[in-house]
Amino acid sequence: MKKLVVFTVLMSLMLTAFEWNSKSTDKGVDFKEVSFEQALKLASESEKYVFMDAYASWCGPCKMMDRNTFSKSEVGEAFNEHFVSIKVDMEKGEGPTLARKYHVRAYPTTFILNSKGEVQKRIVGYRGPEEMLKELAEFIK
């Protein structure tokens, strides 16, 4: 019985370590956990655009984009090279202010912004990986 308990604990630890390791090496979009103003500053310093995912926690298509689009390595490679990417919950924190400023009326809405916060492109609704890359082709050169 003691061996079974030890075996179970070791297997749990190994599976947890494997799961943590696989998440840390994910090649999807690297969303920065920074404020909107910090994202603009990072974009200015790195000469990139800001990609802003305006979402709501209850939004099914937003969750689908996280799962099906933003997690894909080909999307991550393109985004991470050309954008400072942020996710903003439009119902929390600075989200409501940004929702008013950028006239967000549906979810998901994604934006390409220059480092001054000016809209370069607005995309409303779900996009799969290929569709998203096509939408943003002019910014991913």
Side-chain angles (χ1 to χ4, degrees), residues 21-41:
N21 189 40
S22 67
K23 286 182 182 176
S24 66
T25 60
D26 186 9
K27 301 207 189 260
V29 177
D30 178 21
F31 285 102
K32 306 293 184 199
E33 293 186 23
V34 297
S35 71
F36 180 73
E37 289 301 321
Q38 289 169 321
L40 294 177
K41 184 177 179 191

Side-chain angles (χ1 to χ4, degrees), residues 21 34 36 57 78 88 123 131:
N21 189 40
V34 297
F36 180 73
S57 61
V88 181
I123 303 167
E131 295 169 303

Side-chain angles (χ1 to χ4, degrees), residues 121-137:
K121 185 161 184 103
R122 173 191 185 101
I123 303 167
V124 179
Y126 175 86
R127 298 292 189 280
E130 296 82 16
E131 295 169 303
M132 182 61 78
L133 291 172
K134 284 179 187 173
E135 288 269 9
L136 301 180

Side-chain angles (χ1 to χ4, degrees), residues 26-33 70 75-77 79-80 83-86:
D26 186 9
K27 301 207 189 260
V29 177
D30 178 21
F31 285 102
K32 306 293 184 199
E33 293 186 23
F70 300 138
V75 176
E77 288 172 17
F79 276 49
N80 299 340
F83 304 115
V84 172
S85 300
I86 59 171

Side-chain angles (χ1 to χ4, degrees), residues 106-123:
Y107 302 109
T109 298
T110 54
F111 295 91
I112 301 299
L113 308 166
N114 65 20
S115 61
K116 295 177 184 172
E118 300 165 337
V119 176
Q120 305 300 296
K121 185 161 184 103
R122 173 191 185 101
I123 303 167

Side-chain angles (χ1 to χ4, degrees), residues 10 16 21 48 52 72 91 134:
L10 287 175
T16 302
N21 189 40
K48 294 181 177 182
M52 180 171 71
K72 301 300 182 205
E91 296 180 331
K134 284 179 187 173

